[in-house]
Amino acid sequence: MTTNALRQYLEYYRDLGIDSVYRRSAPSEPAPSAAVSIPVVLPDLAPPGDTLPAILSDIGDCKRCRLHEGRKTIVFGSGNERSSLVFVGEGPGADEDEQGLPFVGRAGQLLTQMINNTAAKEGIPIRREDVYICNVVKCRPPENRTPLPDEMEICGEFLFRQLMAIKPKAICALGATAMKALLNTKEGITKSRGRWHKWRGIPVMITYHPSYLLRQYNQQARREAWEDLKTLLHYVYD
Ligand code: URA
């Protein structure tokens, strides 16, 4: 197993909350002399040759968590499935639940404007439909509440498979929920935004969620989010 593959496995297990893995010795095998434990038999990170249609089919008519009770539609994701850039939001709102598409309500319109206008201003020939957009949870939480840890964990498996199937050059985490799902951090968004982080080797830019930016008193945050997007788009498309 290559070091890179090993690192990915370990990150995968850390995402699942498992932080110790032990090497199982064959009966005839001498005990490892070094203190390093190397996993030998581990399941695949994702089914080999995983694809977005296969993931959607595995989600099926999902009832794995309580969020299915209030949903109209499962909001899987939309955009260019071969994109170099994936945006990850929190979860569908009322408009998204109605239409089955992510970021189509007010926050979505702002996100679209941000992508289209920043790209145009920076001379980068992309528009919203050229990137891929999805959420941590695929069903609308009641009253648009923040998804609970178990809901994020269950649905996160599908988000991770989506990201691994697309293998973008970079990911943009929109807001604290996406940040937590990807980076397993307790750091606040104000501290983490505007900087590069990594998810299984893929650079992750963290920025504010567009719903937060819609609040009038957040002019400063808006400026910062535009800067974050500029950095991100130049990294991916220059
Ligand atoms: N907010 C999100 O996080 N995702 C959406 O799809 C819409 C609003």
Side-chain angles (χ1 to χ4, degrees), residues 75 89-93 96 101-105 107-108 134-135 174 209 211:
V75 180
E90 176 173 301
E96 290 77 20
L101 293 167
F103 283 99
V104 288
C134 57
N135 285 303
L174 299 165
H209 192 286
S211 304

Side-chain angles (χ1 to χ4, degrees), residues 52-79:
L52 294 181
I55 301 163
L56 183 59
S57 152
D58 285 352
I59 292 178
D61 182 24
C62 187
K63 294 190 170 57
R64 293 170 180 84
C65 84
R66 64 187 82 71
L67 292 184
H68 80 275
E69 289 162 14
R71 73 155 185 252
K72 281 195 182 133
T73 332
I74 291 175
V75 180
F76 181 64
S78 75

